């Protein structure tokens, strides 16, 4: 059996990783690929695909040619990826156009199965196959969801948008991944998910947490989001994922709403997944003390908490991934504070009419303030 020389792509990745002073485990945490795959590529047991090399180059902040040893590859690869991604970008613009009379779509059950298969293809890193099939699937699902709407079809469309997000992230198109997450949120609302129904502020909150790999170790970030406006009302950062992480985020949400003169209280539902932090005695007792009802999602159903999935996805693609590597808790905390302020005050959201969350809340209160009786001076 022929053996690889010391100048294969995996060896170059290993060399550049060491120059960046990253262990294999640290670099794997920053990649959208597994630690096992990185290990096998570096030792030459598995070939490095173009997508894998591109992801490594992005993490290491170097040109892809430093890993491939082929200067012409960068431009060629970029052109090929752009050609692959362009139809996906175009398909994401179809979401609000309604049914397409010129399109003949497959039956609903076939489309739902096709959406599931594409998820499996992405998990198996068959990105090009999934990317080629995705645009037509989104077009068909969009047409069918408007023509004969059902919970199953809207869920399948939300799943297809999630696949678009996953492909975009793995190929390095972070702007497109943000659009895909917005579309996923939009479709999930129409799937009649009870946790996504809110007609006023402080009616339903959703919560979850994620992690950020830093040079000092893993940092955990928790969020609480108001479903009505998409505003991030509470967040916290810690080096431990114990119950205190989510308790601090909840306390911030309660404090900020109270300080703004719109206190939360009876009638508010707090929705989360079934993680141990949210089902702990301390967290449950805190909800009861505040007069908040708890809602726990179905285990293993990502769309059950789709809004929070979307929100965390935006946090990762708009802040964490573009600005890595991170040094530790302090810089993650500062950057998160700045991003949350921008998110609430400036970022436009499709689901609320392409305006920022706080503007949506301000408009709502302006429209629903009690008007003085006729003939009575204010």
């Amino acid at each position: 059996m022929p053996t690889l020389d010391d100048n294969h792509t995996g060896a170059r990745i290993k060399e550049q990783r060491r120059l960046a002073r990253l262990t294999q485990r640290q670099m794997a945490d920053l990649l959208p690929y597994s630690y096992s795959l990185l290990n096998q590529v570096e030792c030459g047991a598995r070939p490095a695909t173009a997508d894998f090399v591109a992801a490594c180059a992005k993490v290491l902040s170097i040109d892809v040619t430093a890993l491939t040893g082929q200067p012409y590859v960068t431009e060629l690869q970029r052109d090929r990826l752009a050609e692959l991604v362009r139809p996906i970008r175009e398909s994401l613009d179809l979401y609000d156009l309604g049914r397409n009379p010129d399109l003949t779509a497959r039956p609903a059950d076939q489309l739902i199965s096709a959406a599931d298969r594409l998820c499996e293809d992405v998990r198996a890193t068959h990105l090009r196959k999934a990317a080629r099939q995705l645009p037509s699937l989104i077009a068909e699902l969009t047409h069918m969801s408007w023509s004969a709407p059902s919970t199953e079809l809207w869920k399948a469309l939300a799943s297809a948008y999630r696949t678009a997000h996953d492909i975009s992230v793995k190929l390095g198109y972070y702007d497109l991944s943000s659009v895909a997450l917005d579309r996923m949120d939009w479709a999930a609302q129409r799937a009649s998910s009870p946790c996504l129904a809110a007609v006023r502020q402080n009616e339903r909150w959703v919560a979850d947490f994620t992690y950020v790999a830093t040079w000092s170790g893993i940092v955990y970030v928790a969020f609480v989001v108001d479903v009505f406006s998409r505003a991030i009302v509470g967040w916290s950062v810690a080096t431990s994922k114990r119950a205190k992480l989510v308790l601090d985020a909840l306390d911030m949400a309660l404090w900020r709403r109270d300080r703004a003169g719109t206190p939360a209280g009876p009638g508010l539902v707090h929705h989360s997944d079934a993680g141990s932090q949210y089902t702990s005695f301390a967290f449950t007792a805190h909800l009861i003390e505040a007069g908040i009802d708890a809602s726990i999602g179905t285990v293993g159903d990502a769309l059950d908490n789709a809004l929070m999935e979307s929100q965390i996805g935006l946090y990762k693609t708009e802040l964490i991934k573009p600005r890595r590597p991170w040094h530790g808790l302090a810089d993650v905390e500062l950057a998160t504070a700045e991003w949350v302020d921008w998110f609430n005050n400036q970022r436009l959201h499709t689901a609320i009419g392409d305006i920022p969350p706080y503007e949506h809340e301000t408009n709502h209160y302006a429209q629903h303030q009690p008007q003085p009786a006729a003939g009575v001076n204010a």
Side-chain angles (χ1 to χ4, degrees):
M1 177 183 294
T3 58
L4 293 171
D5 59 33
D6 291 335
N7 198 35
H8 62 87
T9 301
R12 296 191 193 99
I13 293 173
K14 181 178 180 180
E15 178 185 4
Q16 293 295 329
R17 172 179 61 77
R18 287 179 169 176
L19 289 173
R21 298 189 177 183
L22 292 173
T23 65
Q24 274 191 337
R25 182 68 66 183
Q26 288 172 330
M27 181 163 170
D29 287 339
L30 301 173
L31 286 169
Y33 295 94
S34 68
Y35 166 78
S36 175
L37 178 60
L38 175 61
N39 184 38
Q40 292 179 62
V41 168
E42 285 195 357
C43 71
R46 288 185 64 175
T49 65
D51 298 333
F52 182 83
V53 172
C56 289
K58 195 168 195 67
V59 166
L60 296 169
S61 300
I62 58 176
D63 194 280
V64 70
T65 57
L67 302 179
T68 61
Q70 298 170 292
Y72 67 89
V73 167
T74 303
E75 185 176 350
L76 179 62
Q77 183 69 10
R78 188 182 300 117
D79 289 345
R80 287 177 176 173
L81 287 180
E83 184 179 347
L84 191 66
V85 167
R86 188 179 302 109
I88 298 177
R89 193 182 296 277
E90 292 171 352
S91 72
L92 296 183
D93 290 335
L94 302 175
Y95 75 104
D96 60 349
L97 297 183
R99 60 185 299 273
N100 181 356
D102 298 324
L103 178 65
T104 301
R106 288 169 283 177
D109 58 338
Q110 293 184 22
L111 293 174
I112 294 168
S113 297
D116 291 338
R117 285 196 301 272
L118 283 189
C119 287
E120 294 171 3
D121 284 340
V122 172
R123 284 197 293 269
T125 67
H126 299 152
L127 297 184
R128 291 182 182 275
K129 176 184 176 184
R132 291 189 181 99
Q133 296 177 3
L134 183 61
S136 60
L137 177 63
I138 289 178
E140 290 181 74
L141 281 169
T142 302
H143 168 76
M144 288 295 292
S145 295
W146 285 109
S147 301
S150 70
T151 297
E152 290 73 21
L153 279 170
W154 285 116
K155 279 190 173 183
L157 181 57
S159 176
Y161 286 141
R162 175 58 188 266
T163 298
H165 160 72
D166 292 341
I167 291 174
S168 302
V169 168
K170 289 180 182 295
L171 297 182
Y173 287 83
Y174 297 115
D175 63 322
L176 184 61
S177 69
S178 294
V179 175
L181 285 171
D182 275 345
R183 300 293 185 264
M184 175 183 140
D185 178 12
W186 175 86
Q189 291 180 74
R190 286 150 182 79
S192 302
S193 175
C195 75
L196 290 171
V199 296
R200 58 181 172 81
Q201 188 187 62
N202 294 340
E203 184 177 4
R204 289 187 183 274
W205 288 356
V206 290
D208 203 353
F209 68 90
T210 187
Y211 73 91
V212 178
T214 76
W215 288 351
S216 303
I218 299 298
V219 170
Y220 300 93
V221 186
F223 294 101
V224 180
V225 173
D226 191 313
V227 172
F228 169 70
S229 64
R230 302 307 194 261
I232 298 173
V233 291
W235 59 276
S236 66
V237 180
T239 55
S240 167
K241 57 179 178 178
R242 294 181 180 177
K244 188 177 185 304
L245 171 73
V246 298
L247 277 168
D248 286 348
L250 175 62
D251 279 339
M252 178 190 284
L254 293 170
W255 176 82
R256 291 179 72 172
R257 284 309 200 197
D258 187 63
R259 184 169 176 265
T262 56
L268 171 61
V269 175
H270 179 285
H271 184 84
S272 67
D273 62 20
S276 60
Q277 296 82 1
Y278 295 106
T279 57
S280 67
F281 175 80
F283 191 81
T284 303
H286 206 53
L287 290 177
I288 294 173
E289 182 182 353
I292 300 172
D293 296 325
S295 169
I296 302 297
T298 306
V299 176
D301 185 357
L303 290 180
D304 185 68
N305 204 13
L307 173 57
M308 206 61 242
E309 286 269 322
S310 171
Q311 214 85 344
I312 285 180
L314 293 173
Y315 172 68
K316 287 290 190 75
T317 56
E318 293 177 352
L319 175 67
I320 298 303
K321 289 176 179 175
R323 290 177 54 177
R324 63 190 180 190
W326 297 90
H327 297 283
L329 184 144
D331 60 332
V332 171
E333 188 169 36
L334 176 60
T336 300
E338 294 171 345
W339 180 81
V340 168
D341 180 71
W342 169 81
F343 186 92
N344 286 336
N345 290 285
Q346 298 183 50
R347 192 188 191 282
L348 308 183
H349 295 262
T350 302
I352 56 174
D354 289 317
I355 59 176
Y358 281 171
E359 182 178 338
H360 183 63
E361 292 184 353
T362 300
N363 293 346
H364 175 77
Y365 279 111
Q367 294 169 7
H368 292 83
Q369 281 182 343
Q371 300 297 317
V376 177
N377 292 330

